Amino acid sequence: MRRTLRRAILAALLVGAAAPLAAAPRTTVSLDDGWQARIAPSDSAAVTAHKELTRWFPAHVPGSIQQDLIARRRVPDPFLATNEAAIQWVGRTDWLYRRALQVTPAMLARDHLDLVFDGLDTFATVTINGQVALTADNAHRRWRIAAKPLLKAGANEILITFAAPIKTLQPMVLAQKASLPGEYDSAFGDEPKGRQTSPYIRKPKYHYGWDWGPRILNVGPWRPVRLEAWDEARIDTLRVDQDALNDSEARLSAKAVIQADRETVANVRVTLTAPDGSQQQVVQQVTLAPGSNAVSVPITVANPQRWQPVGYGTQPLYRVTATLNQNGEATDTAERRIGLRTVELIRGGGAIGFRVNGIPIFAKGANVIPFDSFPARVTPASMRPLLTAARDANMNMLRIWGGGYYLDDAFYDMADEMGLMVWQDFMFGGAVTPPDAAYRENVRIEAEQQVERLGNHPSIVLWSGGNEVLSGWENWGDRKAFKKAVGADEQERIGAGMAVLFDRVLRDAVLTRSPGTPYWPGSPSTDYEGPVDTDASGDRHFWDVWSGSKPVERYLDACPRFMSEYGFQAMPDMATVRAFAGNGPLTPESPVLKVHQKFLAGEGNERLLMYIRDRLGEPKDIADFVYLSQVNQAEAIALAALHHRSCRPVTMGSLYWQLNDVWPSISWSSIDYDGRWKLLHYAARRFFAPQVIVAEHKDAATRIALVSDAVTPIAARWRVRAFDMAGKPLGEQSAAANMPALSATDVAKLDDATVFAGADANNSYAVAELLVGDAVVSRAIIERGVPKTMHYPDPGLTATWSGKSVTIQSTALARAVMLDFGQIGAHPSDNGFDLLPGESRTITVTSTTSPTALAAALTLRSLGSRR
C-alpha cells in the first residue's frame, strides 16, 4: 500500500514537471522612482569644478539632470533674468544615473523580464549588475532590453552613463574638411561657428537653441522606465487599418505583431466598442512561431460614424482592444482608439490641400513648437489650454514642427476629441542629414516606432518628412557654399542620402504603418515635382515679411498653394515680462530682454522697433512698446491670413508661425509661455471665423471678397460705410450676396473716390461688414494709410464694471482697444477689437484677482488714445 502510494505521488510529480506551466498575464512594474544621479567620475574637469555633485543625489524620472539641479538650486532657473548661460556646463558634462532593483524568485520564474526605456536623451550606456546591456544613441526611440539573463534574486543595480553630446561628437566634426550645415550657432563658445554637432545626433534639435528658444542640452531618462514580465508571447504592437469606408460599412483590420519565444497556439480576440458603448467581437486562432508574428483580424462596422474636423461635424471615436489568450487565459492586451475618416491630398497643377471625407477643407491654424525646454514637465493639463485656445480661435489644423520631439499620446487624444487636424513632421529641424546607412537605419526604427504609436489617431492627416531640410539644401546660401566646398562627388552622396531618407525610409514607414494617411517629404515641399518653396507649387514658408524686413503689404502680392509658415513677432504681456525680467527699468535694449529675444542673436527687438516705427509711431515706454508690438503682429497676420482665405481654391491653407512658446520670450507666438493670449490670438478668432469679409486696400481701391467655410450656401449682405473722424457718414455701398459653399468670392472693387467722396485720407476711414440676417458676423476697418498717419481722435474710452465683467464704451472710433492689466494675471474674453463711435462691448475677465483689484489695474489702450 505504501509502495503504491509512493509510486502514484512520484508519477504525479513527473507529469507536473513535464507539463508546461500556464502562461501568466504580462505584468508591468514602473521604475520611475528611486533614481539617483551624480557627475560621472571619468569627467575629471566637471569633478574638479563641481565636487559637491560627485556624490549621489535624488533624481526624477522621467526628467533631465538640468531639472534636478534647478530643483536643488545647484544652478539658477535658466528661464529667469539672464541665467541661460549659467546652465550650459550641465549639458557639456557626463552624468550617471542609478537605481536599485529588487528581484524576487517569482519574478525570475517568468520566461522574460524586459527592461524598457521609452526615452533616453541621448548617448546612454545601460549596465545591469556591471554588465553592459544597451548602448543607446537616439532620444526619439524606445529601447527594450531582455534583462532576465543579467538579473539575480535580491538586489540588482541599473546604471546609466550619459555622455555629453558635444564632447562625444566634436572630435569627429572638427576632423572633417567641412561639417554638415546645421541650424543655429552656439552663443556660448562650446562649438566653433559653422561646426555644429547637432546634425549628427538624433536628439531634439531645439535643445541646441533656436531663434525663439534657449540652448539647453538636456541629459537624462526623459520618458518613463518600466520592467515587463511575460511568458511565451506578448503583443508588441497593435494598429487598426481602415481597408474601406462608405456610408453603409467600414471594413477594418486589427493588425497585431506578437512576439513569441516558442511555437504555440493562441487565440486573438478583437473587441470593437462603438461611440455609444455597444460592442462586437471577433476571435481568431493563430499558430505562433518563435520570433515576430504578424496577425490580422478583420472586423466590419455597420453604419459607421465618421470623424470630422472641427466645424464640419462631430468626432465619434471607436475603441479596438486586442486580447491574447493562451491556454484559455488572457495573457496580454493592447488597445487603440480610432476615428473613421478618409483623408487625401488635393494635388494637381502644383496644388496642395486636404480633402477629408470627400470635403475640401481650407486649413486654418498655426505651427506648434515644443511646449517647454524640459519635455518631461509637460502634462496633459498644461497642453489642454493651448489646444482649447486653438479650437476656440476657429483653427482646424496644427502643424507639429520637426525640430522638437514626438508628442505624448495625450496631445493627439485631445486633438482627436476636439476635431483638430494635425500636420505631423518627423523630427528633422533644418540640418543636413548624414548620408551613412547606419544613420538611416537608426531613423528607420525611430520612424516605424513613432508611426506605430501614433498612426491610428484620426487627427493626424499628414506625416511630413521634416522642417526645411530639402528646401534648405536647394536654396540656402550656406548649403550652396558647403556643396562647393565638398565637391561634386560628396555633394551627390549627401543629396542621394537625403533622397533615400525622405523619399523612401520615412515614406515607407507611413505607407506600411499608417496607410490611410498621406505622406509629404518635408515642409516646404513639392513631393519632388519641381522647385520648392515657391508660390506656384507645394507648401510655402514665406519670410520676406519680418525676416526679410519687407512691409507687411507684401503678403498681398501672391496666392500661394498652401502657406505652412509665415510669422510676425510681438512682445508677451507685461505680466509675463515682469515674471522673468523683474521690476527694474526696462527698454527694448535692456540685457534681460535681449537674452529672451533669440532672433538675430538677441538683436531682434530692433526689427520690432523698425516695424512699429514704420506703421504705428514711436513707443512711449515699455508698456506702450508691448502694446504696439502686439497690435502690429495681430494686424500683419490678419492681413496675410485673410488674403490666403480669399485666394481659395488656389490657396488651401494658412498656418501662421507660431501658436506657443517654449520659454518666456519675445517671439512669434500668439500665446506666450505663461498661457496669456497676445492680441494676435484674439484676432485669429476673428480672421479664422467660418464666414469673413476681406477688404484689401491697394492702389486707391478696395477689393471686397466674401469667404465661407460652410458646406451649404449662405444668403448674406455686405456693406461698406465711410466716415470722417468726427463720425459724419460719407457714403455707403452694399449688396445682397449668395455665399456658395466652401468658397471665396470677389463681390466688388471700390475706388477711393466712390467710397470716401473726396475726403482727406488721413481724416477718414471706412468699415466693411458682412451681415447674415441682422447680425454682423465679420468686420474690417479700411484705412488709406498706415495707422500712424491717421488722425484718430481720442475715443474717450470708459469702463463700467459689474463683478468681473466690464463694459467698454467709446465716443469715437477706437482702433485696437486693449484691456491691459499690467502685472496682474487676467484673461479678457475679447481684446484688441475696434469700436465704432458710440459702440460698447461687455468683456468677461477670468482672473484669481478680485474685481476691485482688476478695476484698479486696468489701463484701456487704443491707437487714438495714445496720441
Side-chain angles (χ1 to χ4, degrees):
M1 181 72 178
R2 290 177 182 174
R3 185 178 299 171
T4 303
L5 181 60
R6 190 181 302 117
R7 287 176 179 173
I9 293 172
L10 179 60
L13 290 173
L14 289 172
V15 169
L21 295 173
R26 173 161 60 167
T27 58
T28 298
V29 178
S30 172
L31 300 183
D32 288 348
D33 61 346
W35 289 90
Q36 296 176 309
R38 72 176 185 183
I39 291 175
S42 58
D43 193 335
S44 56
V47 166
T48 300
H50 305 282
K51 288 186 175 62
E52 72 281 5
L53 295 174
T54 60
R55 295 184 296 275
W56 293 106
F57 57 87
H60 290 83
V61 174
S64 66
I65 197 68
Q66 284 89 343
Q67 289 170 254
D68 288 316
L69 295 181
I70 293 168
R72 294 177 64 83
R73 303 194 180 194
R74 296 296 186 179
V75 293
D77 187 338
F79 286 13
L80 302 180
T82 58
N83 293 339
E84 181 190 356
I87 203 171
Q88 297 306 308
W89 69 270
V90 182
R92 300 197 290 260
T93 299
D94 299 337
W95 295 91
L96 299 182
Y97 278 72
R98 75 174 182 185
R99 187 194 193 278
L101 175 61
Q102 291 293 323
V103 176
T104 66
M107 294 167 67
L108 288 173
R110 301 299 298 271
D111 289 352
H112 301 272
L113 294 175
D114 290 354
L115 187 60
V116 183
F117 297 92
D118 284 337
L120 294 170
D121 194 357
T122 294
F123 292 127
T125 301
V126 179
T127 63
I128 301 175
N129 295 327
Q131 298 185 62
V132 175
L134 171 69
T135 301
D137 60 354
N138 188 330
H140 301 300
R141 280 176 57 179
R142 180 186 65 249
W143 301 91
R144 179 181 290 270
I145 301 169
K148 182 178 176 180
L150 303 176
L151 295 170
K152 64 183 188 297
N156 295 258
E157 183 184 64
I158 303 169
L159 185 72
I160 313 173
T161 303
F162 286 97
I166 294 175
K167 187 163 52 177
T168 300
L169 293 169
Q170 198 164 65
M172 176 269 293
V173 172
L174 297 181
Q176 295 180 343
K177 176 184 176 182
S179 57
L180 294 174
E183 288 98 1
Y184 290 89
D185 285 324
S186 173
F188 302 102
D190 48 4
E191 293 184 299
K193 302 295 184 185
R195 291 284 191 169
Q196 299 171 14
T197 57
S198 64
Y200 301 89
I201 187 172
R202 293 306 297 148
K203 175 180 176 63
K205 299 302 183 185
Y206 80 106
H207 287 178
Y208 289 83
W210 219 267
D211 58 0
W212 37 255
R215 183 178 177 92
I216 301 177
L217 293 171
N218 285 0
V219 173
W222 72 287
R223 287 194 184 277
V225 183
R226 63 187 178 276
L227 185 71
E228 292 186 357
W230 58 282
D231 301 322
E232 294 187 17
R234 63 176 173 84
I235 300 174
D236 188 44
T237 62
L238 173 68
R239 75 172 194 269
V240 183
D241 288 356
Q242 179 182 284
D243 302 318
L245 175 65
N246 57 48
D247 291 342
S248 299
E249 68 175 17
R251 293 196 298 276
L252 310 177
S253 296
K255 295 190 173 181
V257 174
I258 300 176
Q259 293 293 328
D261 62 9
R262 70 197 73 172
E263 183 171 321
T264 185
V265 176
N267 286 332
V268 176
R269 182 177 72 247
V270 173
T271 303
L272 182 138
T273 305
D276 65 1
S278 61
Q279 292 186 337
Q280 59 175 300
Q281 292 185 349
V282 177
V283 179
Q284 182 170 299
Q285 187 179 81
V286 296
T287 300
L288 302 175
S292 182
N293 298 263
V295 176
S296 181
V297 179
I299 191 164
T300 300
V301 183
N303 303 313
Q305 301 176 56
R306 294 180 187 243
W307 181 93
Q308 300 281 8
V310 62
Y312 294 86
T314 59
Q315 293 77 44
L317 296 167
Y318 293 77
R319 193 172 300 277
V320 177
T321 305
T323 303
L324 178 65
N325 288 277
Q326 298 171 260
N327 301 318
E329 183 174 2
T331 58
D332 204 3
T333 61
E335 192 169 82
R336 285 285 181 266
R337 194 172 67 165
I338 65 170
L340 305 178
R341 50 90 175 122
T342 59
V343 179
E344 57 184 313
L345 283 184
I346 299 170
R347 301 292 286 131
I352 173 177
F354 295 89
R355 188 177 286 113
V356 182
N357 298 320
I359 300 172
I361 294 177
F362 189 99
K364 306 179 296 186
N367 289 260
V368 173
I369 63 172
F371 294 97
D372 202 293
S373 290
F374 304 109
R377 67 186 186 189
V378 177
T379 66
S382 62
M383 290 188 290
R384 182 173 292 277
L386 285 158
L387 275 78
T388 302
R391 182 199 60 193
D392 291 349
N394 291 308
M395 297 183 186
N396 59 27
M397 176 174 280
L398 297 173
R399 174 186 169 224
I400 309 304
W401 169 78
Y405 59 92
Y406 303 94
L407 299 175
D408 291 343
D409 278 276
F411 173 89
Y412 305 94
D413 286 340
M414 288 183 278
D416 294 343
E417 294 158 7
M418 295 183 192
L420 290 168
M421 298 182 291
V422 173
W423 170 315
Q424 177 66 52
D425 279 4
F426 285 99
M427 291 301 114
F428 294 89
V432 174
T433 55
D436 55 283
Y439 179 88
R440 289 197 297 275
E441 176 63 11
N442 197 351
V443 171
R444 179 192 68 79
I445 298 170
E446 165 197 324
E448 291 178 355
Q449 286 183 355
Q450 295 295 346
V451 178
E452 286 276 12
R453 180 174 71 91
L454 299 174
N456 273 136
H457 288 282
S459 55
I460 299 179
V461 297
L462 184 75
W463 285 90
S464 170
N467 178 74
E468 297 181 350
V469 180
L470 302 176
S471 59
W473 182 248
E474 184 173 311
N475 297 327
W476 295 357
D478 66 331
R479 274 59 169 165
K480 293 178 180 179
F482 171 79
K483 294 174 188 177
K484 184 176 180 180
V486 299
D489 290 347
E490 183 66 1
Q491 174 185 336
E492 175 63 23
R493 188 172 80 94
I494 294 170
M498 285 194 290
V500 172
L501 178 63
F502 292 105
D503 196 31
R504 296 186 194 173
V505 173
L506 299 181
R507 191 187 298 273
D508 185 65
V510 177
L511 288 175
T512 59
R513 285 160 173 78
S514 186
T517 307
Y519 173 76
W520 195 241
S523 184
S525 172
T526 58
D527 202 5
Y528 298 99
E529 292 183 356
V532 299
D533 205 13
T534 70
D535 290 324
S537 184
D539 68 310
R540 182 92 159 91
H541 290 191
F542 184 79
W543 287 103
D544 287 6
V545 178
W546 184 262
S547 294
S549 300
K550 298 296 190 294
V552 296
E553 288 75 21
R554 286 290 295 273
Y555 285 133
L556 306 180
D557 287 351
C559 290
R561 307 316 303 264
F562 192 108
M563 186 65 86
S564 51
E565 262 195 41
Y566 63 102
F568 202 94
Q569 274 200 359
M571 292 283 292
D573 276 7
M574 280 303 300
T576 299
V577 171
R578 288 301 183 188
F580 73 77
N583 293 321
L586 289 175
T587 73
E589 294 303 305
S590 294
V592 67
L593 293 189
K594 295 180 77 169
V595 165
H596 288 255
Q597 164 63 275
K598 294 300 181 181
F599 181 66
L600 293 180
E603 300 302 323
N605 290 343
E606 280 298 320
R607 189 65 50 85
L608 273 174
L609 282 167
M610 182 204 81
Y611 276 109
I612 289 172
R613 288 164 176 157
D614 284 351
R615 300 192 72 252
L616 302 175
E618 189 69 25
K620 296 179 178 180
D621 53 30
I622 192 66
D624 197 36
F625 177 57
V626 167
Y627 166 67
L628 293 179
S629 73
Q630 290 198 20
V631 171
N632 240 3
Q633 180 193 41
E635 295 197 347
I637 300 303
L639 182 73
L642 288 167
H643 179 71
H644 299 153
R645 295 188 69 188
S646 75
C647 288
R648 180 178 186 154
V650 173
T651 304
M652 285 300 292
S654 181
L655 310 179
Y656 67 73
W657 187 269
Q658 63 209 54
L659 178 70
N660 60 308
D661 275 327
V662 74
W663 77 319
S665 66
I666 304 160
S667 79
W668 296 265
S669 70
S670 60
I671 302 176
D672 70 28
Y673 178 77
D674 289 336
R676 298 185 176 98
W677 290 21
K678 299 179 185 177
L679 297 186
L680 168 57
H681 206 80
Y682 293 98
R685 189 165 56 194
R686 296 186 281 271
F687 61 67
F688 281 150
Q691 286 77 44
V692 294
I693 189 168
V694 181
E696 294 179 353
H697 186 267
K698 188 177 181 181
D699 300 328
T702 300
R703 170 195 175 217
I704 303 296
L706 306 181
V707 179
S708 177
D709 292 334
V711 296
T712 56
I714 292 178
R717 185 166 63 93
W718 64 268
R719 69 186 180 199
V720 175
R721 297 177 292 161
F723 303 89
D724 67 15
M725 290 301 175
K728 175 185 175 182
L730 300 174
E732 178 177 332
Q733 284 74 41
S734 66
N738 183 55
M739 302 173 69
L742 305 168
S743 68
T745 308
D746 282 19
V747 293
K749 187 169 184 179
L750 306 174
D751 61 78
D752 286 354
T754 300
V755 173
F756 294 100
D760 179 70
N762 297 331
N763 287 289
S764 59
Y765 63 94
V767 183
E769 293 171 312
L770 172 64
L771 296 91
V772 177
D774 293 329
V776 175
V777 299
S778 179
R779 172 189 283 177
I781 301 295
I782 302 170
E783 299 163 323
R784 285 179 284 170
V786 294
K788 73 175 184 180
T789 67
M790 303 297 291
H791 296 164
Y792 292 129
D794 188 324
L797 294 171
T798 58
T800 304
W801 286 86
S802 176
K804 290 188 178 180
S805 293
V806 58
T807 299
I808 311 301
Q809 179 86 33
S810 174
T811 59
L813 174 66
R815 284 277 286 111
V817 176
M818 180 185 190
L819 284 72
D820 183 352
F821 291 93
Q823 298 186 47
I824 288 181
H827 177 77
S829 58
D830 198 5
N831 217 347
F833 48 84
D834 299 318
L835 289 176
L836 299 183
E839 277 192 337
S840 65
R841 185 164 304 185
T842 299
I843 307 297
T844 301
V845 182
T846 302
S847 177
T848 58
T849 303
S850 70
T852 301
L854 286 173
L858 176 63
T859 298
L860 292 176
R861 301 185 185 275
S862 75
L863 294 181
S865 59
R866 62 181 300 275
R867 297 185 185 283

